[in-house]
Amino acid sequence: MDYQRGVITGESVWRAIVLYGANSATYKFAFGATLLEIAATGRDHVTLDELAPRYAELLCQALQRQPRQGTSGRSKFLDACRAFNAGDLDLDTLHRRTVQLGFVNVIDAFPKLGGEQAPVRYYEDRRKSLAPGLVLRDELLELARSVHAPDLDAETAARWRLVETAWATGVSGALLASSPSSTPSLVYDSGTQHLVLQTGQRRKSVAGVVAALSGYQDGRCAYCNQLMAQERSGPIVEHVLPWKLLTRDWNGPDVDAVWNLVLSCEPCNVAKRDRAPHESWMPWLEQRNNDLIESRHPLRDVLMAQTGATAALRRAALKDAYRRATELLPVVWTPSMGTHMA
Ligand SMILES: [Zn+2]
């Protein structure tokens, strides 16, 4: 991820805030989505009264999907949302409770990274003014108008669904081969290109793999660094070590799994065909997998089970898989731009 490489932009810091870090509650997903929507209208000031309806709506919808939206005990605000969902609270009361209770922590916590003020500020806290609310800074208004905005929205939604699913099912670590088949696990479904929750024979879609992975490569092609939002075809799900290996005498790790999946532009996908990339590109994949793991992504334990518990083990496992793959399919493809090698 750009931010982890020291690249400070409106979108890199936003992704670091929303897509990175241990999650203990899902407020920040709802808050970030609400901010982007309101900023997209061009407004530079918003009151809590104006933020409340959409923010509460997103959390009420989330509670209907998964009753658990945090790891700590009770939340009076979420209780209000639950009461609304159950028909025990009217909409006006929900909005009033949201203004009173819903923003207490999130407005202070959202702009922080690792406990420090993030290097880009998106709003100024004006809760103590006559019309309590936020001043939306140019950094946020520009982000909401940018080519990145739809991706950020989809990436937030994907991480939200994966996080709540992991809490609801205790899915983490469940992909180990020794797990009983009735234990739920998050797996990639190549037919639908979705991450699905598999329990025994049942599969339930959780999130599209494009939205789940896009933020961790900053919306850019894995091979040529082009912004994929500018591509007509949109991102294509790409097997780094070719899927074709599964039709050969392949005895390496499952290549139809997240550790081996990246997003690319169409020209790179077409050019690469059934070849592995040149060895010099492979550190990109190693880094992306480390980013997913370090971001405390819900797929973290799955990735560690598939590729190794430490960065050193993962490097060795990837090198070994690459060596095996290029023994079977020796002709490799060299990506045409080197900007991602920086
Ligand atoms: Zn490309």
Side-chain angles (χ1 to χ4, degrees):
M1 292 177 79
D2 275 351
Y3 177 74
Q4 275 62 35
R5 313 280 96 74
V7 178
I8 307 296
T9 59
E11 61 275 10
S12 77
V13 172
W14 186 271
R15 283 184 166 119
I17 288 172
V18 176
L19 302 180
Y20 214 88
N23 296 111
S24 59
T26 58
Y27 303 109
K28 79 171 175 185
F29 300 131
F31 187 64
T34 304
L35 280 181
L36 274 184
E37 276 184 31
I38 289 180
T41 67
R43 302 183 47 183
D44 60 5
H45 182 271
V46 62
T47 64
L48 297 188
D49 287 323
E50 292 164 332
L51 281 167
R54 182 58 174 152
Y55 178 61
E57 182 185 22
L58 285 169
L59 283 160
C60 286
Q61 288 169 353
L63 287 164
Q64 285 176 328
R65 290 193 307 267
Q66 288 293 358
R68 192 164 175 203
Q69 292 291 326
T71 56
S72 61
R74 297 195 75 88
S75 151
K76 283 184 184 170
F77 169 48
L78 290 186
D79 283 347
C81 294
R82 285 188 191 98
F84 172 78
N85 280 345
D88 297 334
L89 203 69
D90 65 58
L91 195 58
D92 285 345
T93 311
L94 172 68
H95 292 167
R96 265 205 317 281
R97 295 267 171 89
T98 304
V99 170
Q100 289 163 356
L101 305 167
F103 299 106
V104 174
N105 295 316
V106 76
I107 288 176
D108 293 326
F110 188 86
K112 300 243 168 80
L113 280 172
E116 304 280 319
Q117 178 70 44
V120 173
R121 293 182 61 196
Y122 300 99
Y123 55 79
E124 286 159 25
D125 183 356
R126 293 289 157 81
R127 272 178 291 179
K128 294 199 167 70
S129 71
L130 281 174
L134 305 175
V135 169
L136 308 185
R137 292 169 59 98
D138 287 347
E139 287 84 344
L140 179 62
L141 302 183
E142 280 164 20
L143 188 63
R145 278 196 302 266
S146 75
V147 63
H148 304 282
D151 287 351
L152 297 176
D153 197 43
E155 292 161 14
T156 303
R159 176 130 180 169
W160 190 345
R161 277 157 187 73
L162 286 162
V163 165
E164 69 191 16
T165 302
W167 286 336
T169 59
V171 75
S172 50
L175 208 78
L176 298 163
S178 58
S179 304
S181 62
S182 58
T183 309
S185 56
L186 269 178
V187 298
Y188 174 61
D189 183 277
S190 53
T192 58
Q193 298 196 335
H194 275 226
L195 295 168
V196 299
L197 184 70
Q198 177 155 335
T199 314
Q201 294 302 308
R202 288 196 5 252
R203 288 189 155 198
K204 184 166 169 267
S205 171
V206 179
V209 78
V210 170
L213 294 182
S214 162
Y216 303 90
Q217 53 185 81
D218 300 284
R220 291 199 298 265
C221 173
Y223 300 118
C224 72
N225 216 34
Q226 180 74 26
L227 258 188
M228 292 179 292
Q230 293 169 338
E231 290 283 328
R232 203 157 42 93
S233 66
I236 293 174
V237 181
E238 242 284 320
H239 292 79
V240 173
L241 301 184
W243 186 88
K244 192 182 182 183
L245 289 165
L246 296 176
T247 67
R248 301 294 175 91
D249 191 17
W250 174 245
N251 54 8
D254 183 7
V255 293
D256 206 15
V258 168
W259 70 271
N260 188 49
L261 298 176
V262 300
L263 307 178
S264 89
C265 70
E266 191 176 24
C268 285
N269 172 261
V270 169
K272 181 174 178 286
R273 299 200 308 271
D274 284 336
R275 295 175 291 181
H278 189 273
E279 195 173 5
S280 61
W281 177 87
M282 291 300 285
W284 189 99
L285 181 63
E286 184 186 338
Q287 188 63 63
R288 193 289 308 264
N289 287 343
N290 285 341
D291 278 345
L292 277 169
I293 287 167
E294 285 159 18
S295 83
R296 315 293 290 192
H297 196 279
L299 287 168
R300 177 175 189 264
D301 292 330
V302 169
L303 277 164
M304 287 168 68
Q306 287 171 344
T307 61
T310 67
L313 287 171
R314 290 192 290 276
R315 170 170 295 180
L318 196 58
K319 272 197 190 314
D320 185 57
Y322 187 84
R323 184 183 53 76
R324 290 164 188 250
T326 48
E327 277 169 14
L328 286 173
L329 301 170
V331 180
V332 299
W333 172 70
T334 304
S336 63
M337 270 180 62
T339 42
H340 49 69
M341 309 301 287

